[in-house]
Amino acid sequence: MPQISVERSGNVATITITNPPHGFMDAATVAELDAATAELDADPAVRAIVITGGVPGVFIRHYSVRELETLARQLRERGVAVDPARPVPPRDIDRVFGRLETTPRPVIAAINGFAMGGGFELALSCDLRIAEEGQYELGLPEVRLGILPGAGGTQKLPALVGTARALEMTLRGRTVGPAEAHRLGLVHELVPPGRALERAHQLAAEIAALPPRAVGHIKRLVRAAGAVPRDEGLALERTLFLDLLLSDEALERMSRMNADDRDIRDA
């Protein structure tokens, strides 16, 4: 049985994780997400993507620990050893999460329930996160299993809450409710129960109505901030600024604003 479904409404696509086993992500979930995100990323008609959970009270609870245990036993039987000087190559899950970060379309997580471990790392890979009020938890509790957040959590969490807070949360394996997640900046907005998907669609439609080339360039630049030297980032910024300035759409919008003497907020 498929674990995800994809629906399109105009230029907004919604990925719903409809049938994860017991709310857990596993290899089958990742494979379906890989196929769906690759297809949407290649479709110029799609200008925004929303991701949500289809199980009541669950975005994705976390990655399947049964699957992780099986993998660990298989690797140990094969005598696999790890050398930090020889990094492990990217996996399917890394490709999926990386695609969400690099696609020029905004990706919005409509968090409707539990999002821990790999589920929270999926949310962290999105550009915006909308969370419903409720009795559920978000965070990275992997240390309690003797492992660590292995799909980007240790790298992305500090960018949201700072190094000190990220250390406190990951070293303790501390998860938080949606209200505290909002206070900490883990999610952008907190909405009443049952409203996350609606609000995510509103934001997706708002951004999808804006010039897609400008949206893509802005996302690329902001995502790269801090990951590249400042001079390199500034050089790319002024280059992409000129690229947009010379575009037909920008010229048309600027001309219309000037002709009508509009405020820039109404352009």
Side-chain angles (χ1 to χ4, degrees):
M1 180 181 295
Q3 292 194 27
I4 71 169
S5 65
V6 179
E7 296 182 2
R8 304 187 189 210
S9 178
N11 50 19
V12 176
T14 301
I15 297 174
T16 303
I17 302 143
T18 55
N19 191 43
H22 307 291
F24 302 139
M25 178 189 293
D26 62 12
T29 322
V30 173
E32 290 188 38
L33 285 171
D34 190 13
T37 56
E39 180 179 345
L40 296 176
D41 192 34
D43 187 348
V46 176
R47 292 195 178 184
I49 299 171
V50 173
I51 301 178
T52 194
V55 177
V58 178
F59 180 72
I60 287 181
R61 189 174 292 274
H62 53 72
Y63 200 93
S64 169
V65 177
R66 291 186 182 278
E67 191 169 286
L68 291 177
E69 180 186 355
T70 298
L71 175 63
R73 293 187 182 281
Q74 291 173 344
L75 294 176
R76 284 166 62 95
E77 289 175 3
R78 289 163 47 192
V80 172
V82 175
D83 180 356
R86 299 175 61 188
V88 174
R91 305 150 300 176
D92 292 347
I93 195 170
D94 303 310
R95 181 171 61 248
V96 173
F97 291 0
R99 184 179 294 125
L100 297 177
E101 293 181 294
T102 58
T103 179
R105 302 148 186 82
V107 182
I108 304 173
I111 302 172
N112 60 311
F114 280 97
M116 301 180 294
F120 189 55
E121 288 173 310
L122 170 60
L124 289 177
S125 300
C126 299
D127 302 306
L128 299 175
R129 287 165 293 281
I130 310 302
E132 294 180 4
E133 299 169 339
Q135 300 300 312
Y136 64 90
E137 300 286 313
L138 303 92
L140 301 169
E142 285 89 340
V143 69
R144 296 177 180 273
L145 295 174
I147 59 176
L148 55 76
T154 64
Q155 304 303 296
K156 297 169 188 176
L157 186 62
L160 293 180
V161 300
T163 300
R165 179 63 70 188
L167 281 169
E168 182 267 332
M169 295 185 71
T170 53
L171 290 176
R172 295 175 61 196
R174 187 165 76 90
T175 58
V176 298
E180 185 174 357
H182 185 236
R183 289 195 299 271
L184 291 173
L186 297 175
V187 299
H188 296 84
E189 293 186 20
L190 194 62
V191 297
R195 299 290 299 276
L197 185 57
E198 176 186 354
R199 179 56 179 152
H201 281 156
Q202 290 174 347
L203 290 171
E206 174 189 328
I207 301 173
L210 297 171
R213 192 167 167 186
V215 168
H217 281 359
I218 290 170
K219 175 175 174 175
R220 176 183 175 184
L221 288 163
V222 174
R223 281 284 193 179
V228 299
R230 185 173 178 84
D231 288 348
E232 183 179 328
L234 290 171
L236 181 59
E237 180 188 72
R238 59 181 176 264
T239 302
L240 296 182
F241 171 80
L242 185 58
D243 177 62
L244 293 173
L245 189 69
L246 296 173
S247 68
D248 292 341
E249 184 161 24
L251 185 58
E252 179 183 344
R253 285 173 173 262
M254 290 187 292
S255 297
R256 186 168 61 242
M257 174 182 164
N258 290 329
D260 298 340
D261 198 24
R262 296 183 185 181
D263 186 283
I264 192 172
R265 294 168 294 180
D266 302 320

